[in-house]
Amino acid sequence: AAPQAEIERIDSAGLTGTALIGEGAVLRAAGGSVAIDASRDSVSSGTLEVPDGSLRLGSSRISLGDVVGSPGGLVLTDAQLQQLGASQLILDSRSSIDVYGSASFSVPELRLISAGVFARTDDASFEVDASHSVELSNLGGVAAPVAAAGTGRLAIRTAQLELGAGEFSIAGFASTDLATTGDVISRADGATRIAGNLALAANRVTSFAGVTRRIDATGNVVLSRAATSAAIADTDLETRLGAVLT
């Protein structure tokens, strides 16, 4: 995929600014990159086709699945998620990523940038299969909203799980399953907070040098070695000394 644009907003209240892709419109960039970012709402009634490319979608809020009501921001149905076809998908919310009903999709590389992922219906479920990597980060330092406890499940399966800067929360799900055949890597200072039970399966949990990372859950925590694990290479250990994990 072509390099993706990095978007930085300064002093934007998000009261105005809408990106609208009308019905019948087609945005296609095979092997390239597409970035759609609005300070308030991003509305897509058209078709996004980025086969083997990078797609970045940014909005004031991102809602996934069987969305009810008019939450504003960007809404992506389960069908839209499954037909994106990108090799890299970046979902960048300046508040939360909310899940209604069922949301599931596969993508080689996924980056979630927000306060976290939150279930908005009692039985909400969120499942992702990423053959390369998943990154969870809160680059804007957004405060996590309140989410009522539900009965659903969040599951992420990937080859490498990367924990980026800021406090990233997962709430409203009864259980969270994070499984990687490789490493869980902390790339920057931050916290990963789970409301509910957590099952974490990985080859190892490691970090870049000097990084402080907190991982906590309000329910039961089960740690295990991934059923299918990649071989551990220790050639880079000197670059990962001095980290703190709690």
Side-chain angles (χ1 to χ4, degrees):
Q4 183 55 259
E6 292 295 331
I7 298 172
E8 181 180 359
R9 294 188 177 277
I10 300 175
D11 298 329
S12 174
L15 300 179
T16 59
T18 299
L20 174 61
I21 303 173
E23 186 175 355
V26 178
L27 291 181
R28 179 176 175 82
S33 65
V34 173
I36 302 171
D37 190 285
S39 56
R40 184 172 182 178
D41 295 340
S42 297
V43 181
S44 176
S45 300
T47 302
L48 301 175
E49 297 179 355
V50 196
D52 300 320
S54 175
L55 176 61
R56 183 188 189 103
L57 300 174
S59 192
S60 58
R61 182 182 306 277
I62 296 177
S63 300
L64 310 176
D66 307 317
V67 179
V68 295
S70 301
L74 171 66
V75 174
L76 291 171
T77 66
D78 206 32
Q80 287 175 312
L81 285 168
Q82 294 178 20
Q83 70 182 18
L84 291 174
S87 60
Q88 180 192 55
L89 176 61
I90 303 170
L91 297 180
D92 186 353
S93 169
R94 280 174 290 285
S95 55
S96 57
I97 296 175
D98 298 332
V99 181
Y100 298 76
S102 173
S104 62
F105 58 98
S106 299
V107 63
E109 182 180 348
L110 175 66
R111 294 179 63 194
L112 300 180
I113 305 170
S114 74
V117 180
F118 303 88
R120 293 307 181 191
T121 54
D122 179 70
D123 61 346
S125 65
F126 180 71
E127 294 195 28
V128 173
D129 284 285
S131 58
H132 184 269
S133 63
V134 172
E135 176 189 332
L136 309 177
S137 61
N138 183 357
L139 301 180
V142 182
V146 175
T151 60
R153 172 175 174 259
L154 179 145
I156 293 176
R157 295 175 290 270
T158 185
Q160 180 166 289
L161 179 61
E162 302 177 4
L163 307 178
E167 186 171 307
F168 192 96
S169 300
I170 297 174
F173 303 93
S175 61
T176 295
D177 296 344
L178 304 178
T180 171
T181 56
D183 295 343
V184 176
I185 302 177
S186 292
R187 292 190 169 275
D189 292 350
T192 306
R193 303 192 183 278
I194 313 295
N197 298 327
L198 169 64
L200 176 60
N203 201 23
R204 63 179 175 179
V205 179
T206 184
S207 174
F208 279 19
V211 168
T212 298
R213 167 68 47 181
R214 181 179 180 87
I215 300 175
D216 59 28
T218 60
N220 298 324
V221 177
V222 177
L223 304 179
S224 62
R225 178 89 182 265
T228 303
S229 298
I232 297 177
D234 291 331
T235 56
D236 60 348
L237 285 181
E238 68 276 5
T239 67
R240 300 187 178 188
L241 297 177
V244 177
L245 173 66
T246 59

